[in-house]
Amino acid sequence: MRRTIRNPFIGIDGYNCFGCAPGNAMGLRMDFFEEGDRVCAEWSPSDHFQGYGNVLHGGIAASLMDEVAAWVIFV
């Protein structure tokens, strides 16, 4: 069963996380959910996240993994 994880930081003054702030226009704007004992995210990249020729930039890939890891600890 899929359960949405509520982002408790929304509404906090100055919250502009590159990974998970929904209001950060240049950020990843990731949402998370639990599925069984897993923390998951589904994300589709915009063109400005590419490195060379339609390839996801490595720094963005690392940021995705970092953000998921942080939410695993948070949950």
Side-chain angles (χ1 to χ4, degrees):
M1 180 176 215
R2 184 175 177 157
R3 185 181 74 82
T4 300
I5 298 171
R6 184 184 69 81
N7 185 333
F9 307 109
I10 294 174
I12 295 176
D13 234 11
Y15 169 62
N16 197 36
C17 177
F18 178 74
C20 64
N24 186 334
M26 296 305 289
L28 302 173
R29 295 190 253 176
M30 296 174 73
D31 291 314
F32 299 89
F33 58 93
E34 288 182 88
E35 205 162 66
D37 61 352
R38 298 176 182 188
V39 172
C40 305
E42 293 176 355
W43 181 82
S44 296
S46 299
D47 288 343
H48 68 272
F49 292 122
Q50 69 180 313
Y52 177 79
N54 295 320
V55 176
L56 184 66
H57 189 279
I60 298 300
S63 294
L64 292 166
M65 291 184 283
D66 178 66
E67 192 70 16
V68 171
W71 279 82
V72 167
I73 292 168
F74 176 72
V75 171

